[in-house]
């Protein structure tokens, strides 16, 4: 049975804005952790709110089924709407055509798609002299307009919507001109739908269009048979790819014969169609309302939906706080049948006009809750946030229901509130309630004892509320409300704010680069530098992946419990961690949880059987991994193509991973985690792992492309940072994330002298640190983007401007190893020293004072002022006296005396 979770969309609910007092007072906060099943309510995140309304309910009898009939006016004490999102499969075609161009030897490859969507061609080329199957970027002159570079191996180009569409022809299309005599052996591509994030391949592999005979290998070839002879298209039209190979023998001056020269070729056009299935979202809604009959004290629960098919409500009642399903007393609605004496099933009745269905459920006054799930068919069930829908019912002892007092104290500008949209009013109410709760907690704690422990407890409550609040008030606005800065008086440098996010004063050092594995003694080399790194002011060290790996860098793990890697032995790793602890540095392990390389092949020759201590089979691999024939469930994230993608929805997988991470914490002494490729699986699983391993600090690598238009970076990157924030939120705030948005915007600002980019529309920093600074780990370079890989290298010669930005701003800054042990070391050390001296932390307040073409300037916590860019800036005169502290190429930093 496939269960559809409402988790990504349940926050967009409509609520009445008054309150209901249940049978018992809640002792915990009003904000819910959706990841835990023992929470009381499941209505999108807060206590149900009720408003008295007048109305008449005439619920008639049907046969032996009797329900309340009353002309009495009843109170509408609750009404809630839930979005129901389901997937619908639509079939279409991918069209591939190769035509000769105008010039001799020139060709045009055209790719089209017949389905609506935001289609992107992700493509690259192979050259004749290439060995292996790695892609290369095509020559610049081959790249169509609007193409965007993807690392160093591919291009992404959007398909254009056609103005006129032939019957059963493409709706979107893109043509790529192949350059004559360019030495290109093949063009490789996959089709990506940015609306859904789905990738479309050919027989589980990338599409490959061969241009020479040597490229005709594998089952993913299009446009040619393996003999490179005659090919007949699916439409019955004959299309040919011919290659005439000339073999010539030649001799060198010494009379030696040489291998065959490069083969000349003659190419003819072809046309192919490939069927694809796109799963699109279909949105419906569910509305639940509760009324009470004041004469009989019966609860009348109305359930209705706009879904036009059959809907069965699988339901029961609760008589206490345990949420245990119980069968209610009769009578029952029409078309109700019992299910194994544990629940009832009621088929909702069609509405007039056929625009949905509804049902009325009558419950006795002693019932405390109505609990249910929806069944559309045998394979599709709807639940709420992974739990059953649960509607708490009002007590019959308190009538009439009282409206809740206004959220905030003091007079209000009602005229402005009246024009405020509903989501904004609700969000403001939640924010005020958070503040009230925190004030109450703080007051209680301080009355008991004004101790550091009390302050730490208060701060921890603040963090948890902030994380939960975000998941609640994600409504129609694409951003979250910026978190309030924690004042310095509320936390000192030793206070632990929240598990997984450290104290707020961390400065991270990435303790390796892409080449560090080559010596085989990296742990020993780094151990010798521990004292130096500590003296520079680093408090956290990120170490490379520790496990046995197919790739020497460690990111293709195999046997997770084998810690003898190319960086050193397990004993050398433990000695390094011990030494770092001695000099006051916490240690992060690089945990690769998304994928794992197998030890054995299955009967089909696919590598999907694991060995070692965690001897999983193919059930541990997601079913939609195109390469490894997994038998698990579908992936909850993006696919990593090079290794089997692990199915974290499997109980045995999560159990084994949690045990492994706890073993690493105990055996090696890791204090926390850097989590690799977290785009590949749901952040809720990360929360599970963080709760089990209880790290001091954790950060995830959520790296995807920023927004571009015609090859130029958009100013507004809210969608990009929203995706990162959504992942952090899915973890329950138990882990931060690398602020890829800030890195990308710094690239554009510094490369093109466009420093105005460093402020968003609200005058805040435009990256994740502008929205959720305590979870933003800022950086300018790492082993992927810099080092010898250079996939996304920071603008050359401007690295210190980047460090002047991240080391003076909120968030948790991370510094790359290559920059520490370079000519930048002295300047970086000065910036770290100033950050520590002025107690800048992850929630420090930024006031942006200047954003122009050639200069960006800001004041942080009224204690530090900075500017980057060639333009002029001096901090304003005022009560503070500013002293120039650090100066370098196109940057300056001042501090108050």
């Amino acid at each position: 049975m496939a269960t559809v979770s409402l988790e990504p969309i349940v926050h967009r609910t409509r609520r009445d804005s008054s309150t209901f007092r249940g049978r018992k007072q809640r002792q915990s906060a009003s904000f819910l952790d959706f990841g835990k099943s023992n929470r009381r309510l499941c209505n999108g995140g807060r206590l149900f709110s009720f408003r008295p309304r007048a109305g008449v309910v005439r619920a008639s009898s049907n046969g032996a089924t009797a329900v309340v009939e009353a002309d009495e006016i009843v109170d509408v004490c609750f009404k809630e709407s839930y979005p129901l999102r389901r997937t619908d499969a639509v079939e279409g075609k991918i069209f591939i055509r190769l035509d000769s161009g105008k010039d001799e030897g020139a060709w045009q490859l055209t790719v089209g798609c017949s389905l609506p969507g935001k289609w992107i061609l992700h493509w690259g080329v192979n050259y004749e002299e290439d060995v292996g199957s790695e892609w290369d970027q095509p020559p610049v002159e081959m790249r169509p307009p609007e193409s965007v570079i993807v690392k160093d191996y591919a291009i992404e180009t959007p398909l254009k919507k056609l103005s006129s569409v032939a019957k059963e022809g493409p709706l979107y299309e893109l043509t790529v001109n192949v350059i004559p005599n360019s030495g290109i052996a093949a063009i490789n591509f996959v089709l990506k739908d940015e609306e859904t994030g789905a990738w479309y391949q050919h027989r589980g592999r990338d599409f490959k269009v061969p241009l020479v005979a040597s490229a005709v290998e594998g089952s993913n070839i299009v446009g040619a048979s393996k003999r490179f002879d005659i090919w007949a298209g699916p439409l019955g039209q004959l299309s040919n790819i011919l290659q005439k190979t000339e073999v010539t023998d030649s001799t060198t001056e010494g009379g030696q014969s040489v291998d065959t020269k490069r083969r000349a070729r003659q190419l003819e056009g072809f046309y192919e169609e490939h069927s694809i299935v796109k799963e699109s979202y279909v949105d419906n809604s569910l509305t639940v309302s509760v009324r009470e009959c004041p004469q009989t004290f019966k609860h009348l629960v109305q359930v209705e939906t706009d879904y036009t098919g059959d809907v069965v409500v699988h339901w029961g009642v609760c008589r206490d706080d345990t949420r245990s399903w119980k069968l209610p007393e009769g009578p029952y609605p029409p078309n109700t049948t019992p299910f194994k004496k544990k629940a009832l099933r009621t088929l909702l009745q069609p509405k007039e006009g056929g625009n949905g269905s509804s049902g009325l459920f009558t419950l006795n006054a002693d019932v405390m809750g109505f609990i249910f799930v929806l069944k559309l068919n045998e394979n599709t069930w709807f639940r709420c946030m992974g739990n059953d829908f649960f509607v708490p019912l009002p007590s019959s002892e308190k009538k009439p229901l009282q409206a809740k007092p206004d959220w905030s104290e003091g007079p209000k500008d009602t005229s402005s509130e009246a024009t405020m949209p509903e989501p904004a009013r609700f969000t403001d109410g939640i924010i005020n309630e958070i503040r009230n709760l925190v004030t109450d907690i703080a007051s209680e704690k301080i009355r008991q004892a004004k101790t550091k422990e009390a302050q730490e407890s208060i701060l921890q409550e603040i963090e948890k509320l902030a994380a939960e609040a975000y998941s609640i008030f994600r409504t129609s606005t694409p951003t979250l409300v910026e978190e309030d800065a924690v004042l310095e008086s509320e936390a000192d440098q030793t206070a632990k704010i929240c598990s997984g996010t450290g104290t707020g004063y961390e400065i991270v050092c990435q303790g390796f680069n892409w080449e560090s594995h080559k010596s085989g003694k990296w742990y020993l080399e780094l151990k010798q530098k521990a004292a130096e790194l500590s003296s520079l002011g680093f408090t956290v060290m990120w170490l490379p992946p520790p496990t046995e790996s197919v790739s020497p860098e460690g990111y293709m793990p195999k046997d997770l419990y084998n810690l003898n890697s190319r960086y050193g032995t397990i004993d050398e790793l433990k000695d390094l961690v011990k030494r770092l602890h001695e000099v006051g540095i916490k240690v992060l392990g690089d945990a690769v949880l998304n994928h794992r390389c197998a030890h054995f092949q299955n009967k089909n020759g696919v590598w999907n059987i694991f060995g070692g201590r965690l001897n999983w089979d193919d059930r541990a691999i997601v079913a939609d991994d195109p390469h490894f024939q997994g038998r698990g469930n579908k992936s909850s994230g993006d696919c990593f193509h090079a290794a089997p993608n692990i199915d974290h929805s499997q109980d045995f997988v999560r159990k084994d991973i949690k045990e492994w991470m706890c073993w690493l914490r105990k055996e090696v002494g890791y204090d926390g985690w850097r989590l690799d490729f977290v785009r590949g699986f749901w952040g809720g699983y990360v929360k599970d792992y963080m709760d089990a391993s209880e790290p001091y600090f954790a950060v995830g690598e959520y790296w995807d492309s920023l927004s571009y238009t015609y090859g130029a970076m958009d100013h507004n990157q809210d969608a990009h940072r929203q995706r990162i924030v959504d992942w952090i939120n899915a973890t329950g705030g138990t882990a931060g994330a690398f602020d890829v948005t800030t890195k990308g915007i710094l690239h554009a600002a510094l490369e093109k002298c466009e420093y105005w980019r460093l402020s968003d529309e609200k005058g805040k920093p435009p990256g994740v640190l502008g929205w959720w600074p305590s979870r933003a780990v800022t950086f300018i370079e790492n082993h992927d983007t810099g080092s010898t890989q250079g996939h996304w290298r920071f603008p050359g010669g401007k690295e210190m401007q980047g460090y002047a930005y991240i080391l003076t701003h909120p968030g948790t800054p991370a510094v790359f190893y290559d920059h520490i042990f370079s000519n930048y070391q002295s300047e970086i050390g000065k910036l770290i020293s100033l950050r520590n001296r002025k107690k800048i932390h992850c929630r420090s307040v930024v006031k942006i004072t200047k954003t122009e073409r050639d200069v960006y300037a800001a004041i942080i916590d009224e204690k530090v002022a900075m500017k980057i860019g060639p333009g002029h800036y001096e901090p304003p005169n005022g009560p503070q006296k500013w002293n120039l502290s650090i100066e370098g190429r196109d940057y300056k930093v001042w501090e108050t005396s």
Side-chain angles (χ1 to χ4, degrees), residues 268-343:
E268 293 190 5
F270 70 85
Y271 174 84
E272 277 192 23
E273 296 179 3
H274 294 266
S275 297
I276 62 171
V277 177
K278 176 180 176 180
E279 290 188 345
S280 59
Y281 290 119
V282 178
D283 291 318
N284 294 104
S285 65
L286 166 72
T287 300
V288 182
S289 58
V290 179
R291 295 177 174 86
E292 287 189 89
C293 177
Q295 189 176 35
T296 64
F297 299 135
K298 294 275 188 179
H299 304 301
L300 306 179
V301 180
Q302 181 86 19
V303 177
E304 54 185 332
T305 176
D306 59 355
Y307 179 73
T308 54
D310 289 341
V311 179
V312 173
V313 180
H314 184 96
W315 64 285
V317 297
C318 302
R319 290 191 169 87
D320 52 36
D321 290 334
T322 63
R323 270 194 174 184
S324 300
W325 284 61
K326 303 292 183 182
L327 287 175
E329 298 175 0
Y332 303 137
N335 296 316
T336 297
T337 57
F339 177 76
K340 297 181 180 180
K341 299 182 179 180
K342 295 181 179 179

Side-chain angles (χ1 to χ4, degrees), residues 27 34 72 224 344 373 380 405 422 427 489 552 574 657 791 850:
Q27 300 300 317
F34 300 109
E72 301 289 340
L344 298 171
V373 294
T380 306
E422 167 65 23
T427 299
S489 60
K574 291 162 72 173
I657 289 178
H791 284 329
K850 194 171 187 179

Side-chain angles (χ1 to χ4, degrees), residues 630-799:
R631 291 193 298 122
N633 297 311
K634 286 190 175 182
S635 175
S636 57
D638 294 338
C639 184
F640 181 83
H641 294 285
N645 288 255
I646 299 305
D647 180 11
H648 294 264
S649 72
Q650 302 283 5
D651 291 340
F652 73 91
V653 168
R654 292 199 309 278
K655 176 179 177 292
D656 286 347
I657 289 178
K658 286 187 283 187
E659 289 179 356
W660 174 67
M661 297 180 80
C662 292
W663 176 80
L664 286 175
R665 290 270 279 131
K666 182 178 179 181
E667 183 71 17
V668 178
Y670 286 134
D671 301 289
W673 313 109
R674 181 266 183 185
L675 303 170
D676 182 66
F677 198 77
V678 296
R679 279 174 47 204
F681 55 104
W682 177 49
Y685 300 132
V686 172
K687 182 183 186 304
D688 202 13
Y689 302 143
M690 297 304 99
D691 288 344
S693 61
E694 297 182 337
Y696 167 86
F697 190 90
V699 54
E701 180 210 28
Y702 194 101
W703 180 7
D704 65 356
S705 298
L706 280 77
S707 300
Y708 294 84
T709 302
Y710 302 112
M713 181 183 289
D714 296 341
H715 179 216
N716 188 326
Q717 294 294 334
D718 285 355
H720 185 266
R721 59 175 169 175
Q722 187 65 60
R723 291 193 293 273
I724 300 176
V725 164
D726 286 345
W727 178 83
I728 301 171
N729 177 60
T731 74
T734 58
F738 287 108
D739 194 346
V740 180
T741 317
T742 289
K743 173 177 167 63
I745 293 171
L746 282 170
H747 274 242
L750 274 59
E751 277 180 340
K752 300 181 179 181
C753 201
E754 296 175 343
Y755 290 83
W756 48 266
R757 290 182 177 274
L758 293 170
S759 176
D760 67 11
E761 295 178 352
K762 294 184 179 181
K764 299 287 186 180
V768 178
L769 68 89
W771 282 357
W772 206 344
S774 70
R775 300 302 189 275
V777 177
T778 54
F779 72 109
I780 68 166
E781 210 78 291
N782 63 29
H783 63 291
D784 283 320
T785 65
S787 191
T788 55
Q789 285 211 100
H791 284 329
W792 195 25
R793 200 178 299 280
F794 201 76
K798 301 180 189 247
E799 289 86 354

Side-chain angles (χ1 to χ4, degrees), residues 156 201 267 313 426 428 463 473-474 524 718 788:
E156 287 191 349
Q201 298 177 299
L267 198 63
V313 180
F426 178 63
D428 287 346
E463 284 291 322
F473 59 64
R474 266 296 312 279
L524 298 177
D718 285 355
T788 55

